[in-house]
Amino acid sequence: MPPPPPLSTFLWFSLTSLTLKLLLIPSYHSTDFAVHLNWLALTHSLPITHWYSDAKSPWTLDYPPFFAYFELILSYPAKLLVPTSLERRTDVVLDGDHAILGFQRVSVMVADLVLYYAIWRLTKRFGGLRGIMIWVLVIWGPGLLMVDHVHFQYNGMLLGILMVSMGFLREERDLMGGFVFSVLLCFKHLFAVAGPVYFVYLLRRCFRDGGFWRGFGRLAVLGVVVVAVFVAAFGPFLYYGQILQVIHRMFPFGRGLCHAYWAPNFWVFYILSDKALAFVLRRLGFNIPRVESSFTGGLVGDSSPFSVLPEVTPLVTFALVLLAIFPCLIKAWKNPQPRNVIRWIAYAYTSGFLFGWHVHEKASLHFVIPIALVAIENSEEAQHYFILSIVSCYSLFPLLFEPQEYPLKVLLLLLHSALMWYGFSSLFPGSKKPNVDKLSEKKKLGSRTERSLSVTGKDRFCMGWIEKAYLLGIVFVEVWGQFLQPVFLGDRLPFLPLMLISAYCAFGMMYSWLWQLKSIVMLP
């Protein structure tokens, strides 16, 4: 295997990405910017007993305590550099305050160092082009650029913590992997979707050898470490009698099934099926009541009314997510191999995205980024990732809805697609004659992951006509929404372009979930 790419090359990738992020500072920012700005001021100006009960601003604190502590830490340099950022606000009109805008943007860039560290650790075992390709997919990935450095969030830092945890698991350092994942849950609880995978995998690993009592000792140590993390995060709020308020803020089940812009998941088909059935039944003379739906009104917090199909509750979505990841749990229990753990975790997040309650489109990053780590294993993985990455990026287009950002998001997607095509084609060029030495070496290796690291004559990156047709359809969806609908429909059906994006991308997401499920079932 060739040596890993040098640190200087990694720094070049990182600095190139940083340059682009600096250029994006003046770009559009969403209300999430005001949310985090309010959290910055709230944690600095109020005692801890009021963090999760204060309702002066509409953007209340609803992340776990470690993220609140993170905002508190950020507030101290903010006080020195931009004192006005600590003023309590009830509006988002901050376009004229360049100092606040710059500080918040730079804070995301600094937080991204966690992601860079995680990627560097994970790619040290890959040689040559494989390591560089992962850097291209993650560090230069358009999804994080659009969500974190335009729309505004801290997903890079959180995904970095996740990937540090996965790196420890790959290195068979299970205690550290569980510890870091516990820390992640205390930063953002939505990552708990992979909790069952971690639980089953680590439980099975504790008893992998050495008898029952040695395994029980490992489990006890792991349990103490995890409990200690949660005590550090939630202990102060339990002490001050605020724990129920914290839980209430973290799990606002009063929100509807879907977000204002429908995430491209299973529930898009469920909603559209309900509307189609209601339309047909009315035509046939049935008395189907017309409900005032929140799905096209863009109101977060409304319930999710259905005309024909049964109402979906949070408990139903929770059960579906558990059912979806059950095959993964069986595999993790039967054969808890570190080489497969990234694939299992990514699949769990895919299942949560497809069947979860009130899922945001941004949550696709939770599995797109980890899957990049296995996309370099063979041409089939690369083909799957190529489609998934494009679909995920395109599904994020509605987040950047202002005209001045339109060329940016299109250019990012096109450039990303071109880099993926060139990189994967170079990594998996195939050949007319298979390499006999590599084929014989593959027979000696015991894992699918290791087998995939040798390129054979058939291991060639290419797309079939169905995949090409589907990706070409994205162009037609975008052309209709941006250029043709205003001509043919005018102001009618304003929700249609967003609905088409959600529905069309949902096919790609369902394909990815089924592909991952098949891949996991076929693992040894």
Side-chain angles (χ1 to χ4, degrees), residues 367-430:
F367 54 92
V368 172
I369 299 298
I371 291 177
L373 300 174
V374 298
I376 49 85
E377 291 183 356
N378 57 54
S379 60
E380 291 183 355
E381 299 281 2
Q383 291 160 13
H384 163 247
Y385 185 82
F386 185 83
I387 297 172
L388 173 63
S389 184
I390 291 176
V391 170
S392 172
C393 182
Y394 182 61
S395 71
L396 299 174
F397 269 31
L399 290 178
L400 279 58
F401 55 85
E402 294 194 355
Q404 62 268 26
E405 270 73 48
Y406 187 76
L408 171 66
K409 61 186 182 183
V410 172
L411 183 61
L412 285 175
L413 177 55
L414 293 177
L415 182 61
H416 179 63
S417 302
L419 287 173
M420 282 197 299
W421 186 272
Y422 177 78
F424 286 139
S425 298
S426 301
L427 193 58
F428 306 108

Side-chain angles (χ1 to χ4, degrees), residues 469-491:
Y470 175 75
L471 293 177
L472 184 62
I474 291 178
V475 177
F476 289 101
V477 171
E478 184 64 14
V479 169
W480 169 262
Q482 289 294 324
F483 306 106
L484 298 182
Q485 175 161 325
V487 174
F488 292 100
L489 296 181
D491 295 332

